[in-house]
């Protein structure tokens, strides 16, 4: 089954980029308390775990701009050489020129590598040599359970230099 996927699509199965970030949150520790365990201490512990995840993910969260105002999206750096995981509808077809906006606002050229539409996942490569980027680790989506705490980080509507990437918790 994996042989039918493009080489870059061998990351864990996920329906959306948000699900990837849920995997990241789950990697921060067990984020699923039973209702009986929801005490002030457990909530403070979860808050600490979420802060750790956000500290890791924020620097690796990027904005994606297309030429001539053809749209915008967001993604997350998953390799130090500039490989960006995003949604399939953001990356689209391979070979498209994009601008990747790093968390500090620096803009770098990038190229779409294509999309794996059934997983709603796409990849973009930043076109910068001899540079190491911050990354987030990939997790195991098979270990996820319904009802787990999760967070999503991205640039809805495009990168805005006057704000950090919003974080949503659920």
């Amino acid at each position: 089954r994996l042989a039918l996927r493009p080489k870059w699509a061998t990351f864990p199965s996920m329906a959306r980029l948000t699900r990837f970030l849920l995997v990241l949150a789950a990697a921060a520790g067990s984020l699923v308390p039973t209702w009986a365990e929801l005490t002030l201490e457990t909530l403070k512990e979860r808050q600490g775990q979420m802060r750790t995840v956000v500290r890791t993910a924020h620097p690796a969260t990027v904005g994606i701009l297309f030429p001539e105002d053809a749209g915008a999206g967001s993604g997350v750096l998953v390799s130090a050489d500039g490989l960006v995981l995003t949604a399939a509808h953001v990356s689209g077809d391979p070979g498209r020129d994009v601008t990747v906006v790093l968390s500090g606002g620096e803009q770098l050229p990038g190229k779409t590598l294509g999309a794996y539409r059934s997983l709603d996942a796409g990849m973009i490569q930043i076109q910068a040599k001899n540079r190491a980027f911050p990354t987030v680790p990939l997790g195991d989506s098979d270990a996820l359970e319904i009802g787990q705490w999760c967070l999503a980080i991205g640039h809805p509507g495009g990168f805005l230099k006057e704000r950090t990437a919003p974080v949503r918790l659920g």
Side-chain angles (χ1 to χ4, degrees):
R1 186 173 143 197
L2 288 178
L4 299 176
R5 293 182 184 181
K7 183 177 179 184
W8 57 263
T10 57
F11 49 85
S13 173
M14 63 198 77
R16 304 192 55 78
L17 179 59
T18 303
R19 184 164 177 217
F20 166 76
L21 293 174
L22 186 142
V23 171
L24 176 66
S30 173
L31 302 178
V32 186
T34 63
W35 289 111
E37 295 174 337
L38 276 179
T39 65
L40 183 57
E41 286 100 31
T42 2
L43 290 174
K44 285 182 179 181
E45 180 183 328
R46 299 301 177 259
Q47 180 183 33
Q49 290 171 334
M50 292 297 172
R51 282 183 177 157
T52 299
V53 171
V54 170
R55 275 191 219 111
T56 301
H58 251 293
T61 302
V62 299
I64 300 164
L65 304 172
F66 290 88
E68 289 104 36
D69 294 323
S74 60
V76 62
L77 285 152
V78 294
S79 72
D81 65 346
L83 196 57
V84 176
L85 173 64
T86 188
H89 66 272
V90 173
S91 65
D93 295 328
R96 297 171 65 197
D97 290 323
V98 299
T99 299
V100 178
V101 185
L102 302 181
S103 63
E106 181 181 3
Q107 296 187 8
L108 297 170
K111 255 310 168 206
T112 61
L113 301 178
Y116 195 58
R117 297 198 187 279
S118 64
L119 296 178
D120 194 19
M123 300 300 286
I124 294 172
Q125 179 67 58
I126 295 176
Q127 306 292 296
K129 304 244 186 230
N130 302 320
R131 178 112 183 237
F133 297 98
T135 64
V136 293
L138 293 173
D140 179 6
S141 62
D142 292 334
L144 299 176
E145 297 177 21
I146 294 173
Q148 279 186 286
W149 289 73
C150 68
L151 59 83
I153 302 174
H155 297 283
F159 181 88
L160 296 174
K161 63 183 174 184
E162 59 272 359
R163 71 162 193 223
T164 60
V167 177
R168 290 170 176 82
L169 175 66

